[in-house]
């Protein structure tokens, strides 16, 4: 294969001349549709079915290579997923692609896809962490970096963004989401699409995005991955679907179906989702791919009898491309012969895929962008990309508690760095890191030493890893604490405790961490805690024992320097929670935009379990919607986060107190940094529709802004709220804004803020 290394350039040039002349001028939609027609008119049914096949590289071995190559040569493969080119040699992409474009019947290039979820080789914070930045620009830039790196290796399609809404931190994949809110997820998910796809999908450094998992995957019962989702149509349309709709409107190239069932129908064979909503209602013209093996999994679901039946169900529901399994290859031609799937349907599916391949301009750019190792070296983990990852990480940390302003640390303090994650190069990367490599991780310990000096930092992990229950390291940790002015505990969850198939029923700090923290707190030294985790954790007494708490998620390659800068106040913490942080697992699901009940809980009517007398018939006034032990509030609300400063909200003003259906209301308030350091505040716009034809959420996020204010500085923020933003699905399932009274808030989080009122005529 070695001599092939000179081929790609030549072949690409030749192909450009021979096969893509009509495309060179402009890739207009009409050109693309014409080209699709031309191709379809020449392709055999076998070749068409071949375009629908997405083969999984990971399931092959070296011995399979000749057969794979032959399949490509025969036009039986449309693309590959998760090719690890080091498995074969550093030109695997180029070689497979060469066969496709030179030797297959129509020369249609292969599409290489991968789970580029939060970075390719430069790993950014996990998506849930990125969401905590509330910064679409940061997310766009991060996705751009990932696209530039991945495309260097020939990858032109990523299985991201994951825009599933989830209200369940037990679910391991919540780490991959952008949180619980449809508006925040829409804004951030769209930014991710824009970052991956760039201004032009045809730019060789762009990736086609893939919104997943369609739909309702994040509502898996009990947080058990792959489990059933039961979502009423209104909730589906108002909460779970808006991020997909927004991404489709932004030009997202593909959509992945969900493993799970939605109201008892698998996502892989659900015409309501992949035909009616996606195609007919939204006009999506990209392609839909199944999830990995999900076509065949309809058999254990008890929905398909066998592979033939599964192929028939998926293809008829509008799943264009089959990931990993080969039921389409085996059965679609047969199903067509027997009249159970039509040639027109097949052409449609192929056209959807070719459309994206053409928009990606794969004919002109079929080969890895980098071409050779030296060029690749210049792109991958460049200084500029590492700097982007570091600045992204800095904006994702959420300061949740800071008694007596323990943070920022001072350089004249001796700090005892304790806990299993201060020096954990792999764990800080988080879930879904195909190419991420811990050997490039910048960890916290050296970064702290660099800022404060060697002598100011003492280190004893206490526990070897997050689940460690062996207390043999406690003594050394306590001894280190005794020598220090401040304890910095860095713990949380290993990355393997989150992600796909890695849900937890008990979301407390794993291992003996809570015991270690308790013993450290007993020393009486001030204790600051940094949590790295893929989900909010149940904190129990640990929260009282820590004087300060910073949620760092899994921050990625540059975790160390980013955290150290924020801990020492060189940068200020600016993240806000993208989800409600539960008191305990038993409070899940808890989310800010819940519906009103007939007995809403308030702080006044909420009775604590230890206040109840024994032997009484009924305790009053405790019968409201709450839990005796956990109350009615989350531990920290959606949108919450502190800074090293303080902010005051004042002078709420509405441009009018009544708007009509075509009007826009402007809502303003003054935000003042009343502290003495520069800091970032994220004012949030919420509304409540007081009376509806169906019950309405107690609050809904409708806008937000990140503003940095110097000490003492004030700024007026103004949000525009169009009447159309007040729409929801009514009793007849029509999207309408109903006339009536509304509350509106400009707020630092979902539980606070300045309140105003207006009426919609
Ligand atoms: C996951 C998808 C992922 C796919 C390909 C599946 O198991 O659910 O999110 O994109 O694998 O790796």
């Amino acid at each position: 294969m070695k001599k092939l290394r000179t081929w790609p350039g030549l072949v690409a040039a030749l192909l450009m001349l021979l096969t893509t002349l009509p495309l060179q001028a402009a890739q207009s939609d009409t050109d693309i549709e014409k080209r699709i027609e031309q191709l379809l008119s020449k392709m055999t049914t076998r070749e068409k079915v071949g375009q629908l096949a997405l083969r999984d590289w990971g399931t092959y071995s070296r011995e399979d290579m000749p057969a794979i190559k032959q399949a490509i040569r025969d036009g039986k493969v449309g693309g590959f997923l998760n090719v690890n080119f080091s498995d074969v040699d550093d030109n695997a992409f180029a070689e497979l692609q060469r066969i496709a474009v030179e030797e297959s019947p129509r020369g249609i290039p292969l599409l290489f896809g991968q789970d580029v979820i939060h970075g390719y080789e430069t790993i950014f914070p996990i998506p849930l962490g990125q969401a905590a930045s509330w910064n679409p620009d940061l997310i766009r830039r991060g996705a751009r970096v990932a696209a530039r790196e991945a495309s260097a290796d020939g990858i032109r399609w990523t299985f991201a963004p994951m825009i599933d809404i989830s209200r369940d931190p037990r679910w391991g994949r919540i780490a991959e989401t952008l949180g619980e809110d449809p508006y925040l997820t829409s804004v951030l998910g769209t930014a991710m699409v824009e970052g991956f796809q760039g201004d032009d999908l045809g730019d060789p450094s762009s990736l086609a995005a893939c919104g997943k998992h369609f739909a309702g995957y994040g509502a898996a019962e009990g947080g058990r991955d792959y489990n059933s989702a039961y979502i009423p149509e209104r909730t589906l349309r108002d909460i779970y679907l808006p991020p997909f709709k927004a991404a489709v409107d932004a030009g997202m190239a593909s959509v992945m179906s969900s493993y799970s069932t939605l109201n008892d129908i698998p996502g892989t064979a659900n015409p309501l989702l992949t035909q009616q909503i996606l195609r007919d209602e939204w006009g999506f013209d990209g392609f839909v791919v199944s999830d990995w093996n999900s076509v065949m999994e309809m058999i254990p679901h008890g929905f398909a009898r066998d592979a033939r039946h599964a192929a028939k169900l998926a293809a008829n529901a509008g799943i264009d491309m089959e990931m990993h399994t080969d039921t389409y290859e085996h059965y679609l031609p047969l199903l067509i012969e027997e009249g159970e799937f039509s040639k027109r349907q097949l052409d449609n599916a192929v056209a959807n895929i070719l459309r994206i391949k053409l928009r990606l301009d794969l004919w002109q750019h079929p080969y890895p962008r980098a071409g050779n190792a030296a060029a690749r070296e210049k792109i991958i983990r460049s200084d500029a990309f590492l700097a982007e990852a570091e600045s992204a990480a800095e904006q994702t940390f959420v300061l949740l508690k800071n008694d007596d302003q323990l943070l920022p640390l001072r350089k004249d303090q001796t700090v005892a760095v304790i806990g299993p994650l201060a020096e954990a190069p792999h764990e800080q990367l988080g879930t879904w890191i195909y190419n991420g490599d811990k050997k490039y991780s910048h960890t916290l310990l050296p970064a702290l030493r660099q800022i404060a000096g060697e002598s100011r930092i003492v280190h004893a992990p206490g526990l070897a890893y997050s689940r460690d229950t062996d207390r043999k390291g406690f003594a050394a940790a306590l001894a280190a604490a005794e020598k220090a002015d401040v304890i910095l505990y860095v713990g949380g969850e290993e990355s393997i405790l989150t992600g796909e198939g890695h849900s937890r029923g008990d979301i407390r700090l794993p291992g003996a961490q809570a015991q270690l923290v308790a013993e450290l707190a007993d020393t009486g030294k001030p204790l600051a805690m940094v949590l790295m985790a893929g989900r909010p954790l149940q904190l129990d007494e640990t929260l009282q024992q820590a004087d300060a708490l910073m949620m760092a998620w899994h921050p990625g390659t540059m975790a160390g320097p980013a955290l150290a800068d924020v801990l020492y106040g060189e940068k200020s913490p600016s993240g806000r929670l993208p989800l409600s942080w539960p008191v305990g697992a038993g409070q899940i699901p808890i989310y800010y935009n819940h519906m009103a009940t007939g007995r809403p809980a308030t702080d006044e009517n909420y009775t604590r379990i230890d206040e109840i007398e024994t032997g009484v018939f009924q305790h009053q006034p405790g019968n409201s919607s709450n839990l005796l032990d956990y109350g009615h509030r989350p531990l920290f609300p959606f949108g919450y986060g502190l800074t090293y400063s303080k902010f005051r909200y004042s002078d709420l003003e509405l441009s009018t107190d009544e708007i009509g259906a075509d009007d826009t209301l402007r809502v303003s308030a003054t935000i003042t940094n009343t502290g003495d350091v520069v800091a970032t505040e994220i004012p949030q716009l919420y509304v409540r529709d007081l009376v509806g034809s169906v019950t309405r959420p107690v609050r809904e996020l409708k806008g937000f802004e990140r503003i940095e204010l110097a000490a003492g500085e004030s700024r007026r923020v103004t949000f525009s709220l169009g009447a159309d933003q007040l729409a929801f699905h009514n009793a007849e399932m029509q999207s309408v804004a109903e006339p009536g009274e509304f509350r509106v808030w400009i707020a630092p989080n979902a539980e606070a803020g300045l309140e105003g009122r207006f009426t919609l005529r």
Side-chain angles (χ1 to χ4, degrees), residues 81-82 115 159 173 212-213 256 259 291-292 432 500:
L81 80 135
N82 298 341
D115 289 279
F159 308 129
R173 298 195 81 169
K212 67 189 190 185
H213 305 81
M256 187 186 297
Y259 279 126
D291 202 347
W292 194 91
W432 276 121
E500 185 172 346

